[in-house]
């Protein structure tokens, strides 16, 4: 679908407008969009300010031209792919740190600031923004907020959403509002801020944010624990969390993922389930580690290595390399869509067991790993996606695991959002009435459907299946 | 305004319908509604189930009859006063604990369960629901969620909203949806759960909730610190929070509130600013207290008494008695509407200073106290509200402090909600466009405006001033 975007040239913008093939190609998809599913926008605008965003959106709305916000493009569900063409609104030039308020434990940033840059700027104050996702070194604060992202430290510090105090947002008609408050809490009016968080640019475009901060911990230690079986490892995690172990990261990889890691890094890690740990404390960190160790020992833990600094980072390497390891494992095997189910922590052992059962039933290699402390599990169904039969079988296995997660009172996505990829599961999780309510809200806030159309709950429900068939 | 509610008799309800004068009087207002502002509903329904709520709301919607949910009636902004008559839907009979899931750190309850009853049920599991407001012994979980409540322990554990995993909600047409997820995190679809939290029953009626839980701390200690000046005390708090002192409660009362407390309990507390503290830890509590002490000492602290158990409770008595103390201080003075402003923690000293300045400027007695660690401040403008001139002056002082809070990047209400009382300040905080967006959402979700009409953002904006003039 192409749209006449020549009106852009008449807008008085601080930022650049690009019609170049390379810029359009670079904005045709994100990490979660395969080459064949990419859609080039008709134009790319590199916005420099809230005013730029407002002017572009207002003019596009007048003409019914789609505007899809684009940040770092690290989304995994085609969240930023302009599937109906139109304008890709790139926010990465809006990368200023507006103000640091150490006395208020706050930082105000433009939406395009990279996560790690926030923490670098805060270092001299002894502060940090705790809930960065694993992609924090490349993804933007605005993108994280729009996706309702979270990460390895969520088990201790919560999600990105929990640290967002207030936002500047451009609505579909170009009007600009502030939502939330710089106060640490508020019960003033409808919670529009939370409605916009995780709405993936479909209800408004985030241009600025004030974030809450925390003091950096005085003590950091971490390492790796090895378990004989996956059941032991998952039950150890579940027990540690319910016992209240104060852990800052607790990540699981299964034995199959350990195989990938050894293959990738030419290491000789035990090819067994492993738990990666990190502890943060101002005092008493060793007591907390001992508390954790005693629980793990009750679940047949074979080995625990704890360190700090560079040695700790080395122990974590296998966890950090997972995506690259999976990608490079076998050139004939694709990764398929990334699983991101999340279940209540007591059900985590059952969820992991389901992965193994399904892998066996469907005769596929399904390594899994994830933010275990939150009950969040990533799985990859490795298959030859060029083989029609195998691809169909792999996608069926992928969907079966989503259904199993829902049966365990879980959610279809813990931190990646819906985008295009998970739309087809929305009704399964939320029911028809709740999805209709979401659609009504979208219709009210963006009546012409110009903001990132086709994502989460498309305005025309009939189109879902067709588009999904194309895009997955 | 009266409405024909005789259709209720034809509904097949588990619960009772009451037309009695006493039940109607008992549902005519809440803690925040003065006698003259009470409005009796035409009927009271004591719902026993989600089905009851659904049937009543569906039938009322068909007929355009208002339905105002009523829980414990502890709201402070006339949140549950049926100002347009119709049905008061009492949820307090829905008081079952549905399920306790110690392995998932969750509890599922009906909306009418009292806060303290949740914690009593959890005692045997070593778990608790941390964010209860001060009214936790009388107010319901549903009421807390609908008000976006928080309390003394919010400084450590967050707000009620942060501990709500999922909800069952009856919409305006009687349809029933579940929102949120039992998983600890989700980024699946629009955040309808958060939109409903704090919507005071104007967008839907909460009938059931799954709450996240925490393990009870192994160590609890607390006490009272005395400071020579209010500036010293507020700066001590601000510094302690930004330094990252891990405190579970940190409450301030000013010297004037200390006068009230002595008068009420016939005690001889120093009539100086005091900070009340409570610490929770699994280990190392004394180190944390020492850390706090060192910061307080740098702000001229005169005295710190720390204890545990009953002795700690005794030290806290003055803080607990504040409302009663203020009410009984002088029979000629009314309390006026309760201030609930919240500002970023670094601005807290300025906010407290503003209270003193305004009290002087307006020549009134304005004791203040509050959840200082969150930057939350309650103030009461004591005045003879039967004296027209003095009442007008008092309300002006009250409003002036709200404006000062907004000037300090704060919010008009930290935890009490908007109800009727704070509607007139909504545009001042959020701006016209954001308030119009809230109104559009209300219109979409409750097109006939039957759910708790007249609250937060009335559908007919013109009526605000008139109603406010009557109600305040």
């Amino acid at each position: 679908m192409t749209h006449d975007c020549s009106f852009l040239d008449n807008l008085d913008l601080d930022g650049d407008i690009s019609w170049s093939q390379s810029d359009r190609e670079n904005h045709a998809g994100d990490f979660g969009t395969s080459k064949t599913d990419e859609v080039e926008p008709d134009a790319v605008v590199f916005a420099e300010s809230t005013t730029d965003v407002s002017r572009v959106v207002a003019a596009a709305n007048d003409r019914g031209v789609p505007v899809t916000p684009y940040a770092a493009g690290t989304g995994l569900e085609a969240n930023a792919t302009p599937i109906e063409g139109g304008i890709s609104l790139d926010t990465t030039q809006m990368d200023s740190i507006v103000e640091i308020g150490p006395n208020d434990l706050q930082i105000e940033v433009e939406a395009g600031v990279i996560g790690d840059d926030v923490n670098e700027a805060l270092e001299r104050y002894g502060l940090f923004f705790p809930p960065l996702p694993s992609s924090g070194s490349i993804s933007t604060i605005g993108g994280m907020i729009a996706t309702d992202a979270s990460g390895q430290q969520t088990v201790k510090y919560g999600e990105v959403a929990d640290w967002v105090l207030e936002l500047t947002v451009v609505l579909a008609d170009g009007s600009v509002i502030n939502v939330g408050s710089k106060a640490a809490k508020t019960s003033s009016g409808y919670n529009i801020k939370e409605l916009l968080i995780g709405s993936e640019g479909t209800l408004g475009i985030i241009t600025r944010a004030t974030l809450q901060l925390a003091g950096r911990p005085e003590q950091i230690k971490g390492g790796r624990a090895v378990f004989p079986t996956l059941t032991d490892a998952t039950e150890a995690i579940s027990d540690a969390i319910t016992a209240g172990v104060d852990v800052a990261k607790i990540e699981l990889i299964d034995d199959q993922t350990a195989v990938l890691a050894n293959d990738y890094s030419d290491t000789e890690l035990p090819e067994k389930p492993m738990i990666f740990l990190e502890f943060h404390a101002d005092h008493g960190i060793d007591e907390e580690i001992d508390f954790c160790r005693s629980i793990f020992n009750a679940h047949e833990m074979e080995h625990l290595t704890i360190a700090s600094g560079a040695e700790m980072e080395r122990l974590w390497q296998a966890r950090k390399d997972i995506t690259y390891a999976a990608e490079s494992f076998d050139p004939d095997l694709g990764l398929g869509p990334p699983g991101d189910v999340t279940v209540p922590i007591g059900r985590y052992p059952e969820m992991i067991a389901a992965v193994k059962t399904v892998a066996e039933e469907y005769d596929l290699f399904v390594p899994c790993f994830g933010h275990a402390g939150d009950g969040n599990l990533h799985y990859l169904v490795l298959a030859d996606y060029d083989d029609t039969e195998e691809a169909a079988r792999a996608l069926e296995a992928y969907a079966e695991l989503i259904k199993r997660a829902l049966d365990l009172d879980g959610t279809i996505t813990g931190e990646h959002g819906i985008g295009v990829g998970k739309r087809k599961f929305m009704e399964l999780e939320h029911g028809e009435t709740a999805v209709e309510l979401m659609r009504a809200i979208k219709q009210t806030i963006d009546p012409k459907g110009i903001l990132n159309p086709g994502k989460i709950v498309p305005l025309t429900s009939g189109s879902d299946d067709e588009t999904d068939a194309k895009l997955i």
Side-chain angles (χ1 to χ4, degrees), chain A:
Chain A
M1 218 181 303
T2 59
H3 299 267
D4 177 6
C5 296
S6 57
F7 65 89
L8 289 171
D9 284 329
N10 301 323
L11 302 178
D12 179 24
L13 303 181
D14 298 321
D16 293 331
I17 302 160
S18 172
W19 312 89
S20 83
Q21 185 63 27
S22 68
D23 279 331
R24 290 170 55 220
E25 274 174 16
N26 285 338
H27 292 76
D30 53 19
F31 281 13
T33 315
S34 67
K35 271 286 162 206
T36 52
D37 293 332
E38 289 189 347
V39 180
E40 284 177 21
D42 299 295
V44 179
V45 175
F46 294 91
E48 293 273 2
S49 63
T50 299
T51 308
D52 275 3
V53 176
S54 168
R55 285 180 182 162
V56 169
V57 172
N61 191 52
D62 284 345
R63 294 158 179 86
V65 171
V67 180
T68 297
Y70 198 94
T74 55
L76 292 172
E77 296 292 352
N79 318 64
T81 304
I83 58 174
E84 298 190 9
I87 299 160
S88 177
L89 188 90
D90 189 304
T91 56
T92 57
Q93 304 304 303
M94 299 167 62
D95 59 354
S96 299
I97 288 173
V98 182
E99 195 181 352
I100 298 177
N103 295 332
D104 294 325
L105 294 175
Q106 295 182 1
I107 188 169
E108 189 178 332
V109 298
E110 287 189 303
V113 171
I114 302 295
D116 279 1
D117 291 346
V118 171
N119 278 336
E120 203 181 301
L122 292 170
E123 197 165 2
R124 75 168 77 165
Y125 301 97
L127 299 172
F128 78 129
F129 178 65
L132 288 184
S134 302
S135 65
S137 62
I138 45 175
S139 58
T140 68
I141 295 294
M144 295 171 202
I145 296 171
T147 318
D148 200 358
S150 50
Q152 294 184 352
Q153 299 189 160
T154 294
V155 64
K156 180 174 171 72
Y157 298 101
E159 305 170 48
V160 168
D162 299 323
W163 296 79
V164 175
L165 289 167
E166 54 108 41
L167 299 170
T168 296
V169 179
V170 176
L171 298 176
D173 64 358
S175 57
V176 179
I177 60 172
N178 290 325
V179 295
S181 170
K182 288 190 178 183
K185 68 182 191 186
T186 175
S187 61
S188 175
Y190 295 147
N191 206 336
I192 306 293
K193 180 190 77 181
E194 294 280 356
L195 179 65
L196 287 158
I197 292 175
S199 69
E200 301 182 18
T202 65
L203 300 179
I205 298 179
I206 296 161
T207 60
R208 192 193 55 84
T210 301
L211 310 173
Q212 185 82 62
L213 306 172
R216 295 191 180 217
E218 306 278 337
Q219 306 176 314
I220 298 181
K221 285 188 181 181
R224 195 170 63 201
V226 181
F227 287 80
T229 72
L230 203 46
T231 306
D232 290 321
T234 51
E235 288 179 353
I237 289 167
S238 179
D239 274 9
I241 297 298
T242 47
V245 173
D246 184 9
V247 66
K249 300 180 183 176
I250 183 164
E251 299 281 313
L252 173 75
I253 71 173
D254 71 348
D255 46 343
Q256 300 198 323
T257 307
V259 172
L260 301 183
N262 277 335
D263 187 73
Y264 178 70
S265 302
D266 206 16
T267 45
E268 292 184 0
L269 293 176
E271 296 190 341
K272 292 183 173 177
M274 284 183 277
I275 296 173
F276 297 81
L277 296 158
E278 193 173 303
F279 295 85
H280 296 177
D282 285 334
H283 48 75
I285 198 164
D286 291 327
E287 286 181 59
E288 203 65 39
I289 293 170
D290 286 343
F291 181 29
C292 186
R293 189 195 314 266
S294 67
I295 292 170
F296 280 13
N297 278 336
H299 291 280
E300 317 300 333
M301 178 174 68
E302 292 182 357
H303 196 68
L304 175 66
T305 318
I306 294 288
S308 58
E311 176 58 13
M312 180 183 83
E313 299 300 327
R314 202 190 56 76
L315 289 168
W316 267 79
Q317 199 57 47
R319 173 63 187 89
K320 291 182 183 169
D321 290 339
I322 285 176
T323 312
Y324 309 109
E327 271 171 358
S328 69
F329 179 59
D330 183 339
D332 292 336
L333 298 182
L335 302 186
D340 180 37
V341 294
T342 309
V343 296
I345 189 66
R347 314 291 176 84
Y348 201 63
E350 287 170 80
M351 187 65 231
I352 299 270
V355 173
K356 297 297 144 189
T357 313
V358 167
E360 216 164 280
E361 278 173 14
Y362 286 80
D363 191 22
L364 290 160
F365 189 43
V366 189
C368 65
F369 54 96
H371 313 314
D374 309 321
N376 188 194
L377 182 74
H378 299 313
Y379 59 89
L380 297 166
V381 184
L382 269 60
D384 177 359
Y385 284 88
D386 293 330
D387 175 322
T388 318
E389 183 279 326
E390 191 163 311
R393 186 154 40 94
L395 291 176
E396 213 178 295
Y398 167 80
E400 175 62 23
L401 284 170
I402 286 181
K403 285 170 197 151
R404 299 278 181 108
L406 291 175
D407 288 343
L408 294 171
D409 285 337
T411 178
I412 62 179
T413 172
E415 54 181 22
H416 296 167
I418 298 297
V420 171
K422 291 203 165 63
R423 294 179 308 182
K424 62 159 79 77
F425 304 107
M426 281 288 284
E427 282 199 7
L428 211 58
E429 174 165 5
H430 301 286
E432 198 183 325
T433 309
V435 171
E436 272 310 313
L437 177 60
M438 293 184 199
R439 203 186 309 280
I441 288 172
K442 165 74 174 172
Q443 176 80 53
T444 299
I445 301 187
D446 177 21
K448 293 187 180 176
I450 63 146
L451 291 176
N452 201 1
K455 309 300 168 60
I456 304 183
V457 276
L459 278 183
T460 47
S461 63
S463 71
D464 287 13
D465 288 351
E466 210 183 316
T467 326
D468 281 353
K470 180 185 165 300
L471 280 155
I472 288 192

